[in-house]
Amino acid sequence: MEKDFRQERSNILKVVMFGPESTGKTTLSKQLAEKYKTVWVPEFARDFLQEKWEKENKICEVSDLIPIAKGQIKLENELAKQANKILFCDTNLLETKVYSEEYYDGYVHDDLEKAALESDYDFYFLTYIDTPWEEDDLRDRPHMRKEMFDAFKNTLDKYNKPYILLKGNKETRLNIAVEKIDDLLKNKK
Protein backbone atom coordinates (compact mmCIF):
# COMPACT_ATOMS: atom_id res chain seq x y z
CA MET A 1 0.00 0.00 0.00
CA GLU A 2 1.39 3.36 -0.89
CA LYS A 3 2.14 5.85 1.87
CA ASP A 4 -0.61 8.22 0.67
CA PHE A 5 -3.10 5.86 2.32
CA ARG A 6 -1.23 5.22 5.55
CA GLN A 7 -2.52 6.54 8.83
CA GLU A 8 0.33 7.86 10.97
CA ARG A 9 0.44 6.38 14.45
CA SER A 10 0.05 8.60 17.48
CA ASN A 11 -0.68 8.39 21.19
CA ILE A 12 -3.82 10.49 21.05
CA LEU A 13 -7.30 9.09 21.42
CA LYS A 14 -9.06 8.93 18.03
CA VAL A 15 -12.85 8.98 17.90
CA VAL A 16 -14.91 8.72 14.70
CA MET A 17 -18.41 9.99 13.98
CA PHE A 18 -19.77 7.23 11.76
CA GLY A 19 -23.03 6.99 9.88
CA PRO A 20 -25.03 8.07 6.86
CA GLU A 21 -25.27 11.59 5.57
CA SER A 22 -27.30 14.21 7.40
CA THR A 23 -27.10 12.52 10.80
CA GLY A 24 -25.30 15.24 12.78
CA LYS A 25 -21.69 14.04 12.52
CA THR A 26 -20.21 17.44 11.70
CA THR A 27 -22.18 19.22 14.42
CA LEU A 28 -21.12 16.66 17.01
CA SER A 29 -17.47 16.74 15.88
CA LYS A 30 -17.38 20.51 16.31
CA GLN A 31 -19.12 20.41 19.69
CA LEU A 32 -16.78 17.76 21.05
CA ALA A 33 -13.65 19.46 19.76
CA GLU A 34 -14.73 22.69 21.43
CA LYS A 35 -15.56 20.94 24.73
CA TYR A 36 -12.21 19.11 24.85
CA LYS A 37 -10.19 22.06 23.48
CA THR A 38 -8.80 20.14 20.55
CA VAL A 39 -9.18 19.91 16.79
CA TRP A 40 -11.52 17.89 14.63
CA VAL A 41 -11.06 16.43 11.15
CA PRO A 42 -13.70 17.58 8.66
CA GLU A 43 -14.93 15.37 5.86
CA PHE A 44 -12.54 15.97 2.95
CA ALA A 45 -15.11 14.67 0.45
CA ARG A 46 -17.52 17.55 1.18
CA ASP A 47 -15.25 20.27 -0.20
CA PHE A 48 -13.82 18.02 -2.92
CA LEU A 49 -17.26 17.03 -4.22
CA GLN A 50 -18.80 20.49 -3.77
CA GLU A 51 -16.07 21.90 -5.99
CA LYS A 52 -16.72 19.14 -8.55
CA TRP A 53 -20.43 19.93 -8.47
CA GLU A 54 -19.82 23.65 -8.99
CA LYS A 55 -17.33 23.09 -11.84
CA GLU A 56 -18.87 20.10 -13.63
CA ASN A 57 -22.40 19.74 -12.19
CA LYS A 58 -21.51 16.13 -11.32
CA ILE A 59 -21.75 14.14 -8.11
CA CYS A 60 -19.29 11.54 -6.84
CA GLU A 61 -17.99 8.99 -9.32
CA VAL A 62 -16.00 5.85 -8.57
CA SER A 63 -12.85 7.57 -9.87
CA ASP A 64 -13.20 10.17 -7.08
CA LEU A 65 -12.86 7.66 -4.25
CA ILE A 66 -9.08 7.32 -4.31
CA PRO A 67 -8.42 11.10 -4.29
CA ILE A 68 -11.02 11.42 -1.51
CA ALA A 69 -9.37 8.67 0.55
CA LYS A 70 -5.92 10.17 0.10
CA GLY A 71 -7.18 13.64 0.99
CA GLN A 72 -9.01 12.36 4.08
CA ILE A 73 -6.06 10.48 5.54
CA LYS A 74 -3.68 13.35 4.77
CA LEU A 75 -5.98 15.78 6.58
CA GLU A 76 -6.32 13.42 9.53
CA ASN A 77 -2.55 12.94 9.78
CA GLU A 78 -1.95 16.70 9.72
CA LEU A 79 -4.59 17.49 12.34
CA ALA A 80 -3.55 14.62 14.63
CA LYS A 81 -0.28 16.52 15.18
CA GLN A 82 -2.27 19.51 16.47
CA ALA A 83 -4.67 17.54 18.67
CA ASN A 84 -4.80 17.92 22.43
CA LYS A 85 -5.07 14.32 23.76
CA ILE A 86 -8.02 13.50 21.51
CA LEU A 87 -8.92 13.83 17.84
CA PHE A 88 -12.50 13.83 16.59
CA CYS A 89 -12.98 12.61 13.02
CA ASP A 90 -16.11 13.58 11.12
CA THR A 91 -15.49 10.52 8.96
CA ASN A 92 -12.74 8.02 8.14
CA LEU A 93 -11.70 5.61 5.40
CA LEU A 94 -13.98 2.87 6.70
CA GLU A 95 -16.89 5.21 6.00
CA THR A 96 -15.54 5.85 2.50
CA LYS A 97 -15.40 2.07 2.05
CA VAL A 98 -19.08 1.78 3.04
CA TYR A 99 -20.08 4.45 0.54
CA SER A 100 -18.05 2.73 -2.17
CA GLU A 101 -19.79 -0.58 -1.50
CA GLU A 102 -23.25 0.97 -1.36
CA TYR A 103 -22.97 3.26 -4.37
CA TYR A 104 -20.87 1.10 -6.69
CA ASP A 105 -22.39 -2.39 -6.42
CA GLY A 106 -19.99 -3.68 -3.78
CA TYR A 107 -16.83 -2.36 -5.46
CA VAL A 108 -13.99 -1.12 -3.25
CA HIS A 109 -10.52 -0.34 -4.59
CA ASP A 110 -7.95 -2.69 -3.01
CA ASP A 111 -5.85 0.19 -1.60
CA LEU A 112 -8.91 1.82 -0.03
CA GLU A 113 -10.03 -1.45 1.54
CA LYS A 114 -6.59 -2.21 2.95
CA ALA A 115 -6.12 1.31 4.35
CA ALA A 116 -9.63 1.37 5.82
CA LEU A 117 -9.08 -1.90 7.64
CA GLU A 118 -5.56 -1.06 8.83
CA SER A 119 -6.41 2.39 10.20
CA ASP A 120 -6.80 2.40 13.95
CA TYR A 121 -9.39 4.29 16.01
CA ASP A 122 -10.24 4.00 19.67
CA PHE A 123 -13.99 4.43 19.38
CA TYR A 124 -16.90 5.09 17.03
CA PHE A 125 -20.12 7.01 17.56
CA LEU A 126 -22.73 5.57 15.19
CA THR A 127 -25.17 8.39 14.40
CA TYR A 128 -28.79 7.41 13.91
CA ILE A 129 -31.20 8.72 11.28
CA ASP A 130 -33.56 10.46 13.72
CA THR A 131 -32.19 13.90 12.79
CA PRO A 132 -34.02 15.95 10.16
CA TRP A 133 -32.77 15.48 6.59
CA GLU A 134 -30.92 18.57 5.38
CA GLU A 135 -30.90 18.87 1.60
CA ASP A 136 -27.83 20.17 -0.23
CA ASP A 137 -26.12 19.76 -3.61
CA LEU A 138 -24.46 16.48 -2.65
CA ARG A 139 -26.93 14.55 -0.51
CA ASP A 140 -29.00 12.24 -2.62
CA ARG A 141 -30.63 9.38 -0.71
CA PRO A 142 -33.18 10.69 1.78
CA HIS A 143 -35.48 7.78 0.88
CA MET A 144 -32.75 5.24 1.73
CA ARG A 145 -31.67 6.47 5.15
CA LYS A 146 -32.53 3.22 6.95
CA GLU A 147 -30.72 1.07 4.37
CA MET A 148 -27.64 3.29 4.58
CA PHE A 149 -27.73 3.27 8.38
CA ASP A 150 -27.90 -0.54 8.33
CA ALA A 151 -24.84 -0.67 6.05
CA PHE A 152 -22.84 1.45 8.51
CA LYS A 153 -23.97 -0.55 11.54
CA ASN A 154 -23.28 -3.86 9.79
CA THR A 155 -19.75 -2.68 8.94
CA LEU A 156 -18.95 -1.82 12.55
CA ASP A 157 -20.31 -5.19 13.65
CA LYS A 158 -18.52 -7.10 10.88
CA TYR A 159 -15.12 -5.65 11.80
CA ASN A 160 -15.75 -5.74 15.54
CA LYS A 161 -15.27 -1.99 16.03
CA PRO A 162 -16.09 -0.51 19.45
CA TYR A 163 -19.10 1.81 19.20
CA ILE A 164 -22.28 3.10 20.72
CA LEU A 165 -25.38 4.29 18.93
CA LEU A 166 -26.26 7.97 19.29
CA LYS A 167 -29.94 8.84 19.02
CA GLY A 168 -31.99 11.84 20.03
CA ASN A 169 -31.52 15.56 19.87
CA LYS A 170 -28.18 17.36 19.79
CA GLU A 171 -28.02 17.81 23.56
CA THR A 172 -28.80 14.15 24.27
CA ARG A 173 -26.21 12.97 21.78
CA LEU A 174 -23.58 15.34 23.15
CA ASN A 175 -24.21 14.26 26.74
CA ILE A 176 -23.91 10.56 25.86
CA ALA A 177 -20.75 11.21 23.84
CA VAL A 178 -19.12 13.27 26.61
CA GLU A 179 -19.82 10.58 29.19
CA LYS A 180 -18.21 7.95 26.95
CA ILE A 181 -15.21 10.13 26.05
CA ASP A 182 -14.55 10.96 29.69
CA ASP A 183 -14.52 7.23 30.39
CA LEU A 184 -12.18 6.55 27.45
CA LEU A 185 -9.77 9.28 28.56
CA LYS A 186 -9.77 8.01 32.13
CA ASN A 187 -9.00 4.46 30.96
CA LYS A 188 -6.26 5.57 28.53
CA LYS A 189 -4.09 6.98 31.35
Side-chain angles (χ1 to χ4, degrees), residues 11 14 16 18 26-27 42 52 106 117 155 160 166 179 187:
N11 291 326
K14 290 185 180 180
V16 181
F18 198 77
T26 301
T27 299
K52 178 179 180 140
L117 298 179
T155 296
N160 217 15
L166 292 181
E179 185 177 319
N187 291 330

Side-chain angles (χ1 to χ4, degrees), residues 18 92 94 115-124 152-164:
F18 198 77
N92 70 353
L94 190 58
L117 298 179
E118 287 181 355
S119 293
D120 188 35
Y121 299 89
D122 296 281
F123 204 78
Y124 289 77
F152 283 97
K153 182 181 184 314
N154 292 340
T155 296
L156 292 175
D157 291 338
K158 176 181 179 179
Y159 296 111
N160 217 15
K161 300 295 183 185
Y163 74 93
I164 59 173

Side-chain angles (χ1 to χ4, degrees), residues 21 43 45-68 99 102-104 133 135-144:
E21 58 192 5
E43 182 181 6
R46 295 286 307 163
D47 290 336
F48 180 92
L49 293 173
Q50 186 65 46
E51 185 177 319
K52 178 179 180 140
W53 175 258
E54 290 168 5
K55 287 181 177 177
E56 304 172 35
N57 205 27
K58 290 183 180 178
I59 59 171
C60 188
E61 299 170 294
V62 73
S63 61
D64 294 322
L65 294 174
I66 295 304
I68 287 170
Y99 276 109
E102 293 301 310
Y103 277 71
Y104 305 108
W133 177 265
E135 182 110 8
D136 68 18
D137 294 335
L138 305 175
R139 293 179 175 151
D140 64 348
R141 291 189 174 183
H143 59 289
M144 294 182 66

Side-chain angles (χ1 to χ4, degrees), residues 15-51:
V15 176
V16 181
M17 309 310 134
F18 198 77
E21 58 192 5
S22 196
T23 57
K25 294 178 302 223
T26 301
T27 299
L28 187 58
S29 295
K30 289 177 183 178
Q31 289 174 318
L32 291 170
E34 184 177 319
K35 165 130 182 82
Y36 290 94
K37 296 178 180 29
T38 189
V39 296
W40 66 283
V41 183
E43 182 181 6
F44 179 83
R46 295 286 307 163
D47 290 336
F48 180 92
L49 293 173
Q50 186 65 46
E51 185 177 319

